[in-house]
């Protein structure tokens, strides 16, 4: 098996529109990208997938019915809006930017090892609409579909802002969206190899053994270097100092990097200083870009939506502008269904668009977010059940933290964005000092240790008769 696979994705507004039940401009079914052979999708790759993790080869072309795939992506969108709502409540006056895909993939890999009530809570919180074979097949199929769409994308001149990795020739693709997954297990911990085989097969996740118990800081730096390398150094120090210690047993990471030129550039000559009115009514001076072009656009009750396509032809930025003075009320009621209604109203008029240049960097822990959304057991060493990850007893294995870090920069020529997510799994360490005062009813037994045979068993509930005369 390969140790790492980078896949190309295309998380576009147009694709989300199709999954929300909206038709494209030409009336084609947006999920109708399957070959016209008339054959049913080949699900043979999953026939022998069971919870005990049989050996799996790398799934390069997952077979899953398009309606099942659309069902799960709709769940992914719903989960992203739920996370956005929760983060908004935590920091109502701050900008937010995150990658729901990165979070979803990292936690889907974690979910593969969850069992019992822990798995149930994770599935409900993360809006997993599918189970078992279908869920992991859906994530694998998404990556495959996006990779294929990228291969069919347009070849365009790469702009100067793309950096030193390109030479600006006409033959280069001004588009990159790459995703990489890796798991970092403690070297001598009894993880189930079948669990890692599943992650390799469906998520292309390579396995890098590290020594958390002996060299936690070295392991932290190695993980951070991996993330930085796969995000063009836009995401550095994903795991802050002290976040990894000797009790860490596993870290699961996803890194996403995006670079794309607009289909319709904003002319820098048209960029002018302007005023941006903040949520609290105060004003900020910043640069506002301008373009006039035929764009996908909708307006309902004063709420405007515009889709800005990227030059590869398969990705876009969807911008939603609530009516003046109604941002908070709109945001509170925003949902997948409401997005679908707006997208159904899309036309293609000529749009005079004024849009700010901006950059956002975000960094946060998602523990509180996920707990508030209903995922609690996964973080509790006493009740978390990740027995699917290990051979034998899970020994208190639980999620210690979910770290997410993201970056975006938007200017006249395009967009650069990156994000990474790390799920840290810790094992409850035995305490170095305890107190035990036997001053209430108790049970006891005397055993034969080699055979674990109980020789005598006692129950004490009355202390008055315990003392001998």
């Amino acid at each position: 098996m390969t140790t790492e696979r980078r896949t190309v994705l295309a998380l576009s507004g147009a694709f989300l529109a199709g999954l929300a039940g909206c038709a494209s401009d030409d009336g084609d079914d947006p999920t109708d990208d399957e070959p016209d052979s008339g054959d049913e999708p080949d699900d043979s790759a999953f026939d022998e997938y069971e919870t005990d993790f049989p050996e799996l080869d790398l799934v390069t072309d997952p077979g899953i019915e398009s309606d099942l795939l659309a069902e799960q992506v709709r769940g992914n969108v719903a989960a992203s809006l739920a996370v956005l709502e929760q983060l908004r409540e935590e920091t109502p006056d701050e900008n937010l930017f995150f990658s729901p895909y990165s979070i979803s993939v990292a936690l889907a890999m974690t979910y593969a090892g969850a069992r019992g009530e822990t798995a149930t809570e994770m599935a409900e919180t993360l809006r997993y609409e599918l189970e078992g074979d279908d869920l992991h097949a859906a994530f694998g199929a998404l990556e495959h579909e996006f990779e294929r769409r990228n291969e069919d994308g347009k070849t365009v001149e790469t702009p100067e802002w793309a950096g030193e990795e390109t030479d600006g020739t006409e033959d280069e693709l001004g588009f990159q969206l790459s995703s990489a997954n890796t798991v970092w297990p403690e070297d001598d911990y009894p993880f189930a190899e079948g669990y890692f085989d599943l992650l390799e097969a469906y998520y292309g996740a390579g396995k890098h053994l590290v020594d958390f118990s002996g060299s936690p800081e070295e392991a932290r730096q190695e993980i951070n270097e991996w993330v930085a390398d796969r995000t063009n150094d836009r995401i550095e120090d994903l795991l802050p100092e002290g976040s990894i210690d000797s009790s860490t047993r596993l870290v699961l990471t996803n890194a996403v990097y995006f670079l794309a030129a607009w289909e319709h550039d904003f002319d820098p000559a048209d960029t002018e200083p302007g005023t941006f009115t903040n949520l609290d009514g105060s004003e900020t001076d910043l640069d506002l870009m301008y373009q006039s072009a035929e764009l996908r656009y909708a307006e309902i009750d004063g709420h405007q939506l515009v889709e800005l396509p990227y030059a590869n032809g398969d990705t876009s930025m969807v911008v939603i502008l609530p009516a003046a003075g109604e941002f908070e009320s709109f945001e509170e009621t925003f949902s997948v269904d409401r997005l679908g209604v707006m997208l159904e109203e899309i036309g293609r008029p000529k749009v005079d668009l004024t849009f700010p240049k901006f950059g956002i960097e975000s960094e946060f822990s998602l523990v509180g977010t996920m707990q508030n959304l209903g995922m609690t057991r996964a973080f509790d060493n006493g009740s978390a059940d990740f027995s699917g990850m290990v051979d034998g007893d899970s020994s208190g294995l639980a999620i210690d933290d979910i770290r997410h870090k993201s970056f975006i920069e938007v200017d006249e020529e395009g967009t650069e964005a990156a994000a990474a997510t790390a799920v840290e799994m810790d094992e409850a360490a035995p305490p170095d000092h305890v107190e035990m005062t036997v001053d209430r009813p108790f049970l006891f037994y005397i055993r034969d240790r080699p055979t674990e045979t109980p020789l005598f068993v006692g129950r004490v509930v009355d202390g008055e008769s315990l003392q001998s005369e």
Side-chain angles (χ1 to χ4, degrees):
M1 295 183 181
T2 60
T3 58
E4 180 180 299
R5 179 183 54 156
R6 291 193 180 189
T7 57
V8 181
L9 314 175
L11 284 171
S12 67
F15 183 57
L16 295 181
L19 295 170
C22 307
S24 59
D25 283 347
D26 57 10
D28 292 339
D29 181 352
T31 63
D32 193 19
D33 289 333
E34 305 295 332
D36 295 327
S37 62
D39 295 332
E40 292 295 320
D42 180 12
D43 291 322
S44 60
F46 314 117
D47 288 345
E48 299 190 3
Y49 169 67
E50 299 173 356
T51 56
D52 59 351
F53 304 127
E55 184 175 352
L56 295 168
D57 293 327
L58 182 65
V59 181
T60 57
D61 189 2
I64 185 170
E65 296 180 4
S66 60
D67 58 340
L68 291 180
L69 179 60
E71 185 178 353
Q72 182 51 53
V73 175
R74 182 182 174 87
N76 291 350
V77 177
S80 69
L81 294 181
V83 171
L84 176 61
E85 180 181 4
Q86 183 61 43
L87 291 174
R88 170 178 60 84
E89 291 179 358
E90 295 170 7
T91 55
D93 300 322
E94 295 182 9
N95 295 328
L96 289 171
F97 178 70
F98 66 100
S99 170
Y101 183 82
S102 178
I103 295 169
S104 186
V105 169
L107 286 173
M109 293 193 296
T110 311
Y111 171 77
R115 297 293 182 267
E117 290 299 319
T118 300
T120 299
E121 283 188 355
M122 291 185 71
E124 292 175 352
T125 299
L126 298 168
R127 309 299 200 271
Y128 290 156
E129 303 292 339
L130 308 178
E131 299 178 355
D133 312 20
D134 288 336
L135 177 68
H136 300 298
F139 277 102
L142 275 175
E143 295 200 353
H144 174 73
E145 285 298 308
F146 296 147
E147 181 176 0
R148 185 168 65 184
R149 290 173 187 175
N150 180 76
E151 292 171 354
D152 295 337
K154 299 177 182 178
T155 300
V156 298
E157 180 181 0
T158 302
E160 295 179 358
W161 52 264
E164 299 178 355
E165 294 184 0
T166 63
D167 59 14
T169 64
E170 293 284 346
D171 295 332
E172 294 188 22
L173 187 69
F175 173 80
Q176 179 185 350
L177 181 48
S178 60
S179 174
N181 303 309
T182 292
V183 290
W184 311 80
E186 171 73 13
D187 191 4
D188 58 356
Y189 196 78
F191 286 105
E193 284 302 316
Y195 170 66
F196 294 134
D197 289 344
L198 182 146
L199 299 187
E200 171 70 23
Y202 289 101
Y203 300 91
K207 181 176 66 174
H208 293 253
L209 298 176
V210 289
D211 182 13
F212 290 121
S213 58
S215 303
E217 178 60 18
E218 181 179 337
R220 182 186 75 88
Q221 292 180 5
E222 184 178 355
I223 295 171
N224 283 343
E225 289 173 2
W226 180 91
V227 170
D229 180 61
R230 283 148 186 82
T231 58
N232 199 28
D233 292 326
R234 288 301 190 179
I235 304 298
E236 297 181 327
D237 296 323
L238 172 65
L239 300 177
E241 188 173 352
S243 60
I244 298 296
D245 58 31
S246 59
S247 67
T248 304
R249 294 293 174 263
L250 176 69
V251 174
L252 303 99
T253 52
N254 169 269
V256 178
Y257 180 73
F258 178 79
L259 181 71
W262 299 118
E263 182 175 308
H264 308 289
D265 287 356
F266 290 85
D267 188 341
D270 294 329
T271 299
E272 296 181 351
T275 300
F276 185 88
T277 302
N278 303 313
L279 184 60
D280 63 3
S282 62
E283 296 181 344
T284 300
D285 295 331
L286 44 71
D287 290 336
L288 297 177
M289 306 181 294
Y290 173 82
Q291 69 169 249
S292 182
E294 289 188 2
L295 299 170
R296 289 167 56 86
Y297 173 87
E299 181 173 351
I300 299 178
D301 298 329
H303 308 306
Q304 297 172 285
L305 178 151
V306 68
E307 182 177 3
L308 304 176
Y310 293 103
N312 76 306
D314 289 323
T315 57
S316 66
M317 175 184 289
V318 175
V319 180
I320 300 171
L321 180 66
E326 298 183 26
F327 179 85
E328 291 173 298
S329 60
F330 179 90
E331 190 178 34
E332 289 175 358
T333 58
F334 191 57
S335 65
V336 176
D337 290 335
R338 190 166 189 181
L339 173 63
V341 169
M342 296 191 73
L343 291 169
E344 284 177 346
E345 298 299 319
I346 275 183
R348 194 182 289 274
K350 189 171 185 179
V351 180
D352 292 332
L353 177 65
T354 301
F355 190 58
K357 294 174 62 172
F358 67 91
I360 301 174
E361 293 186 39
S362 297
E363 179 179 5
F364 37 78
S365 167
L366 288 167
V367 173
T369 301
M370 293 300 168
Q371 288 176 330
N372 290 337
L373 290 174
M375 191 175 111
T376 58
R377 290 177 180 268
F379 303 99
D380 185 350
N381 289 99
S383 61
D385 183 357
F386 287 101
S387 55
M389 293 183 175
V390 298
D391 289 323
D393 185 10
S394 62
S395 302
L397 202 63
I399 298 177
D400 179 64
D401 203 353
I402 305 171
R403 301 293 310 179
H404 186 76
K405 198 169 184 178
S406 54
F407 158 92
I408 186 171
E409 186 171 296
V410 176
D411 64 11
E412 290 90 349
E413 295 177 300
T415 302
E416 183 180 19
T421 306
V423 180
E424 303 170 24
M425 307 289 297
D426 281 15
E427 182 181 29
D432 57 6
H433 179 79
V434 299
E435 291 185 5
M436 179 176 176
T437 303
V438 184
D439 57 0
R440 56 189 178 274
F442 66 95
L443 302 173
F444 72 95
Y445 75 97
I446 299 172
R447 65 172 178 163
D448 172 57
R449 293 186 63 188
T451 62
E452 290 293 341
T453 301
L455 301 177
F456 304 93
V457 177
R459 172 178 179 267
V460 177
V461 295
D462 179 11
E464 186 175 350
S465 61
L466 287 181
Q467 303 298 321
S468 60
E469 296 182 358

